Amino acid sequence: MAATAIDLQPYASLDDEDCEQRIIKAKQTLGDRLVILGHHYQRDEVFKHADFSGDSLKLSREAAKSNAEYIVFCGVHFMAEVADIISRPDQIVLLPDLSAGCAMADMADLDQVERAWTELSSVLDAEQSITPVTYINSAANLKSFCGKHGGVVCTSTNAQKIIEWSFAQREKVLFFPDQHLGRNTGVKMDIPLEQMVTWDYDQPMGGLTPEDIRQAKIILWKGFCSVHQMFKPEQIENFRRETPNGKVISHPEASYEVCQLSDYVGSTEFIIKTITDSEPGSQWLVGTELNLVNRLHQTLADENKTVQFMSPMLCMCSTMFRIDPQHLAWVLENLVEGHVVNQISVAEDVASNARIALQRMFDN
Ligand code: 13P
Ligand code: SF4
């Protein structure tokens, strides 16, 4: 065993093929002490090493039931935090590159949410009348805030069920950080757009009047995903003109206008299942991250299905992309040598309330 952790720097010059062999070897050495979880947006060179792949909900369930000593999360920071919160205290969660964050999650921080809560409390009794709901794409301390204030976590798979549960607790919902998932879900629940107001966290009182707040059912945080905001109604209209029998499917982080024009809207897991189960020869336009769309295109080409990315710009999630084979090989070879690098560890005073909010989600 090396006395100190192996340095990352030499890995930068390894090519992907060298990394692949080294990752396979390290996985064999670690055996069932290790589990690798991979989100659908991971690049192929990393995704192929995942023991389990899935959307945020599925991966959090895998983390909760895993017995492995090491959980290496090929995804982004908030996903690894969730894995740490819900795994056993003796399990260790690692994120191969600590800079793999989520730009949307960064659009809400605890100070801003606490300020919003105080400002909302000047108009109504927030504790009695608002359920705070955080999308899983958020920092652990926001999940903790929800746990403390009778709130809950949701993912893109269960958002409707969770918002229904939230309305059974209190009359209003404060939904953060993604306005689009909140709005698209509210629309599915027949909540009029006028009763879903947007809280601009850069403005006093979110830029809203007391009357706006009193008449709102859902107060939507003004966050968004920069990848999913690339998708536009015109792209769907062009596709429909050129491919009249084609189908359109989008992730609910896309805008209201895009989701309204889509035939199907759902999480990454839903998108994969819907396209995989479709008729051979079917044609799809997909509004979600590029790595997933390309993988679907390649794996379903044999069935003569065409799977096309919605935007003409080839945008991908740049933070998911930070997890590369070089970082994965580095983390695993360190584990083989008995060194834990890039551990994600959420302080217990934050984790305990975050766990409550996550458990309310799992119970639904
Ligand atoms: P899913 O839960 O659908 O995997 O979405 C996660 C995400 O970050 C989408 O941008
Ligand atoms: Fe975050 Fe968007 Fe990347 Fe998903 S695609 S991880 S929401 S930045």
Side-chain angles (χ1 to χ4, degrees), residues 39-41 54-59 76 78-79 102 104 135-137 154-157 178 225 227-228 251-253 266-271 288-289 292 317 320:
H39 187 265
H40 293 306
Y41 293 167
D55 65 0
S56 311
L57 183 64
K58 193 169 158 196
L59 291 178
V76 287
F78 72 81
M79 297 178 181
C102 163
M104 175 212 282
Y135 188 21
I136 198 164
N137 297 37
C154 77
T155 75
S156 53
T157 291
D178 185 23
C225 166
V227 177
H228 289 84
H251 194 280
E253 287 174 16
S267 71
T268 51
E269 201 67 27
F270 172 84
I271 291 172
T288 198
E289 206 269 348
L292 170 54
C317 176
M320 285 273 181

Side-chain angles (χ1 to χ4, degrees), residues 32-40 47 50-74 79-88 91-93 136 155 269 358 361-362:
D32 55 13
R33 295 172 68 203
L34 167 76
V35 68
I36 300 182
L37 304 181
H39 187 265
H40 293 306
F47 189 80
D51 298 300
F52 298 99
S53 57
D55 65 0
S56 311
L57 183 64
K58 193 169 158 196
L59 291 178
S60 61
R61 290 207 170 111
E62 289 299 340
K65 68 177 192 221
S66 169
N67 274 324
E69 187 180 339
Y70 303 121
I71 301 173
V72 172
F73 216 119
C74 296
M79 297 178 181
E81 280 189 332
V82 169
D84 182 56
I85 293 166
I86 60 186
S87 57
R88 293 192 317 265
Q91 291 176 296
I92 290 174
V93 177
I136 198 164
T155 75
E269 201 67 27
L358 283 160
M361 171 179 85
F362 290 127

Side-chain angles (χ1 to χ4, degrees), residues 16-267:
D16 287 358
E17 238 150 65
D18 284 338
C19 289
E20 172 157 8
Q21 295 316 314
R22 292 170 72 152
I23 291 167
I24 291 170
K25 190 154 176 264
K27 277 189 75 176
Q28 278 165 355
T29 308
L30 291 161
D32 55 13
R33 295 172 68 203
L34 167 76
V35 68
I36 300 182
L37 304 181
H39 187 265
H40 293 306
Y41 293 167
Q42 290 291 298
R43 53 167 99 186
D44 287 349
E45 308 83 77
V46 169
F47 189 80
K48 63 165 112 172
H49 298 295
D51 298 300
F52 298 99
S53 57
D55 65 0
S56 311
L57 183 64
K58 193 169 158 196
L59 291 178
S60 61
R61 290 207 170 111
E62 289 299 340
K65 68 177 192 221
S66 169
N67 274 324
E69 187 180 339
Y70 303 121
I71 301 173
V72 172
F73 216 119
C74 296
V76 287
H77 193 268
F78 72 81
M79 297 178 181
E81 280 189 332
V82 169
D84 182 56
I85 293 166
I86 60 186
S87 57
R88 293 192 317 265
D90 58 308
Q91 291 176 296
I92 290 174
V93 177
L94 303 96
L95 181 67
D97 185 340
L98 294 179
S99 68
C102 163
M104 175 212 282
D106 293 343
M107 289 179 189
D109 68 29
L110 185 60
D111 283 352
Q112 293 167 322
V113 170
E114 282 183 335
R115 197 177 69 230
W117 198 249
T118 306
E119 291 180 344
L120 289 166
S121 301
S122 70
V123 177
L124 35 81
D125 183 344
E127 295 293 337
Q128 292 298 316
S129 52
I130 307 178
T131 306
V133 181
T134 188
Y135 188 21
I136 198 164
N137 297 37
S138 58
N141 58 9
L142 294 185
K143 296 181 177 81
S144 174
F145 175 92
C146 289
K148 225 184 314 188
H149 294 277
V152 61
V153 178
C154 77
T155 75
S156 53
T157 291
N158 58 24
Q160 180 166 347
K161 243 200 294 177
I162 295 299
I163 294 182
E164 279 163 5
W165 176 89
S166 304
F167 281 130
Q169 317 305 308
R170 294 171 204 86
E171 72 197 61
K172 294 181 197 293
V173 160
L174 171 63
F175 190 93
F176 45 86
D178 185 23
Q179 58 174 304
H180 299 296
L181 176 63
R183 186 176 295 111
N184 289 324
T185 309
V187 166
K188 250 169 62 189
M189 296 167 65
D190 292 329
I191 299 174
L193 284 176
E194 316 75 75
Q195 288 182 18
M196 293 189 272
V197 295
T198 309
W199 182 273
D200 182 347
Y201 47 86
D202 283 329
Q203 295 206 42
M205 286 299 278
L208 299 172
T209 64
E211 189 41 36
D212 293 333
I213 293 166
R214 277 191 213 101
Q215 64 84 42
K217 286 290 288 172
I218 307 186
I219 300 154
L220 300 165
W221 198 261
K222 206 183 173 183
F224 61 88
C225 166
S226 46
V227 177
H228 289 84
Q229 74 153 7
M230 301 292 290
F231 306 128
K232 304 285 178 214
E234 310 81 83
Q235 296 156 1
I236 299 181
E237 284 153 10
N238 289 341
F239 174 78
R240 294 226 191 265
R241 250 192 314 276
E242 286 160 18
T243 320
N245 295 326
K247 295 278 183 217
V248 180
I249 189 163
S250 301
H251 194 280
E253 287 174 16
S255 69
Y256 165 75
E257 292 77 11
V258 164
C259 289
Q260 286 296 299
L261 287 174
S262 299
D263 299 297
Y264 304 93
V265 176
S267 71

